[in-house]
Amino acid sequence: METPVAERLPLETTGLRPTYRFDLRTGPPDVFVDASETDWRHLTWKDVGRPYLVENYSKRRRAWEQEQGREMPVPVQWKFFNKHFHQLFMTDLDEAPAEARQRLQRHLAGLNLHGAAEVLKELARMKIWNKVHRVEDAVWDPRGKRALFEGLDVKRPRILFLGAAEGYEAMQLLALYPGGHAVLVDYDDFCRTDRYGHFPEAYPFLGRNPATGQWDVYHKEDFHIDYVVEDIRNLKYGREFDIVLSVGLIEHFPDEHKPLVFDFHRRFLKPGGYAIMTTPRRQLRSRLFYLAMGELMNFGYRELMDVRQMGLYAYENGFEILRAGHIKAHNGIIARAR
C-alpha cells in the first residue's frame, strides 16, 4: 500500500515500498564518480572506442513487423517501450511474485510446460527488476543524481525536459532548486497520462528549503509542472530555459543524427544556461540487464557508452563540459553551449 502524502518521512532514512525505494539520507557516499578533469579537446575516438549497440530486439517488435510487413516506426517503438517499462514501475514486488508462483504451480499441475516456462521468465524479470530498481535504487538513483545536479548557479529555474517520460529528474531538480517551473515534453501521451500521471504521490524528493537553506522533503504535488505532448522537433520555444534536461535520450540516436539531438539541448537554453544529459553506462551489468529484460524494453536503437564517449559526443557538438562522471547505472554531464 502506498504511503500517504501527509506522512512526512524523516531525514536520514531509507526503506522499501511495494514499487520503489525511498532514500532521504543526506550524507556520503554520493555515489558519483567524477571524470570532469578529462581533456576533452585532445580526446579522440581512437582513445575511447565506439559505443556498444544493443541489438537483441523484443520478439514483440519482430512479430509486429512480420504482421505489418514493414519496419516498426520509431513512435510505435516508443509506445511499446513506455507501456512495458511502466508496467515494471507499477508492479507490486511484494505481492506479484507470490501470485506468479501460484500460477506456476497450476501450470505444473496441469502439465502446461509452455505456460510454466513463461511464468519462470516473468519471475526472473521481476527478481532482476526488484534488485536493480528497488534494492539497489539504480534506475532513479536519487543520491547519485543529487550529487550530479547540486551546485548549479540557478534560482527558481525554468526547466525543459526532453523525452520526459515520468519526469523524475525534473522533480528532483525542482526539489533542489525550489520555486522553479518545469515543462515536460514527450510525444507519447501515455507518458503524460500514465507514467507521469501515476507517478507515486507519496514518493519523497530530498531538496533545499529556501527559507532555511537546510534539507527538506518535497512531493510531486509541491512542484509547478506542465506536460506538453509534442515531437521535440516541433517545439516553438525560444532561448528561455535555465536548464535543458534529457535522461536516456542521446543513446537512441545513431551517429548521423547525434548533431540534431545535441542541437535540441542548445536551441532552448538561455545564454549561460545548463544542458544536463545522462545515458545508460557501458558496463557488464548494464549489458546483462538489457539482455535479460530485452523482451520488455528493446524496441528501438539503443547504445551503451562510457562517460568519455558521451563527453566526446557533447564536446564535438559544441558544448563546454562543466561536470562529467558516472553514477550507479548512468553517465552524467552538465555542460554549456560554447
Side-chain angles (χ1 to χ4, degrees):
M1 182 176 294
E2 283 288 357
T3 307
V5 172
E7 180 186 340
R8 296 285 169 168
L9 296 165
L11 298 180
E12 311 306 339
T13 60
T14 183
L16 297 180
R17 294 292 181 258
T19 60
Y20 61 84
R21 171 178 291 279
F22 71 87
D23 193 335
L24 297 175
R25 294 173 291 180
T26 63
D30 290 326
V31 200
F32 173 71
V33 178
D34 200 319
S36 303
E37 296 303 316
T38 302
D39 184 356
W40 307 104
R41 294 174 300 171
H42 296 104
L43 196 65
T44 69
W45 287 107
K46 184 177 180 180
D47 298 325
V48 301
R50 308 305 301 184
Y52 172 80
L53 181 59
V54 178
E55 296 183 293
N56 59 309
Y57 293 126
S58 171
K59 289 185 294 186
R60 292 176 174 89
R61 171 175 170 169
R62 297 196 296 272
W64 187 97
E65 292 178 338
Q66 184 174 6
E67 179 181 339
Q68 299 290 326
R70 61 191 177 106
E71 184 176 343
M72 180 182 277
V74 172
V76 178
Q77 295 171 14
W78 278 107
K79 288 181 182 295
F80 272 87
F81 170 80
N82 284 321
K83 179 180 178 181
H84 292 132
F85 201 32
H86 182 66
Q87 288 174 354
L88 289 173
F89 282 108
M90 298 299 290
T91 300
D92 185 323
L93 292 165
D94 292 330
E95 295 183 358
E99 188 275 333
R101 285 191 287 270
Q102 291 176 357
R103 284 190 283 117
L104 176 62
Q105 291 175 354
R106 291 195 295 269
H107 286 313
L108 292 174
L111 299 180
N112 181 357
L113 298 184
H114 175 75
E118 291 302 309
V119 175
L120 285 172
K121 293 177 185 177
E122 182 182 348
L123 281 166
R125 288 194 290 263
M126 281 192 281
K127 185 172 183 179
I128 293 168
W129 180 249
N130 182 62
K131 180 175 176 58
V132 171
H133 176 54
R134 207 167 68 126
V135 176
E136 298 181 349
D137 207 359
V139 177
W140 285 341
D141 193 2
R143 301 182 82 191
K145 287 174 184 168
R146 283 198 302 269
L148 174 64
F149 295 163
E150 281 190 310
L152 304 184
D153 185 18
V154 292
K155 292 183 179 179
R156 303 172 65 89
R158 290 201 71 208
I159 301 167
L160 180 65
F161 193 168
L162 305 175
E166 80 283 345
Y168 178 88
E169 289 77 10
M171 289 186 275
Q172 193 167 47
L173 283 164
L174 290 171
L176 285 171
Y177 305 100
H181 171 220
V183 178
L184 312 186
V185 179
D186 206 294
Y187 65 14
D188 185 359
D189 192 49
F190 181 85
C191 290
R192 179 186 64 85
T193 60
D194 289 68
R195 293 197 64 182
Y196 172 72
H198 295 158
F199 185 87
E201 301 282 350
Y203 184 89
F205 289 90
L206 189 60
R208 295 290 185 179
N209 184 324
T212 65
Q214 302 300 309
W215 291 109
D216 206 345
V217 177
Y218 296 85
H219 299 87
K220 178 183 173 183
E221 65 178 1
D222 296 317
F223 304 131
H224 181 195
I225 293 174
D226 292 314
Y227 210 113
V228 176
V229 179
E230 185 57 274
D231 191 312
I232 295 170
R233 294 171 295 183
N234 298 333
L235 295 178
K236 304 302 183 185
Y237 301 111
R239 299 182 66 183
E240 56 193 270
F241 291 93
D242 301 284
I243 297 171
V244 174
L245 167 69
S246 74
V247 173
L249 182 66
I250 296 166
E251 76 276 8
H252 295 291
F253 290 79
D255 280 4
E256 60 267 28
H257 298 304
K258 289 252 185 359
L260 177 62
V261 72
F262 279 101
D263 183 58
F264 292 154
H265 295 78
R266 181 187 303 105
R267 68 175 66 176
F268 306 116
L269 272 178
K270 291 179 179 178
Y274 297 100
I276 301 179
M277 300 166 274
T278 79
T279 63
R281 285 178 60 191
R282 179 174 182 164
Q283 56 178 338
L284 179 59
R285 295 180 68 178
S286 297
R287 292 173 64 172
L288 292 175
F289 177 79
Y290 285 107
L291 179 63
M293 306 296 281
E295 198 54 38
L296 297 178
M297 302 183 67
N298 296 348
F299 289 92
Y301 187 90
R302 182 193 301 275
E303 298 170 342
L304 300 176
M305 60 187 78
D306 64 31
V307 70
R308 295 196 307 160
Q309 292 167 333
M310 182 187 177
L312 187 52
Y313 278 125
Y315 184 81
E316 287 184 340
N317 283 281
F319 282 93
E320 173 193 4
I321 298 171
L322 307 177
R323 183 179 304 155
H326 71 256
I327 52 180
K328 291 178 181 177
H330 298 87
N331 308 302
I333 284 178
I334 297 178
R336 283 196 176 108
R338 290 203 304 272

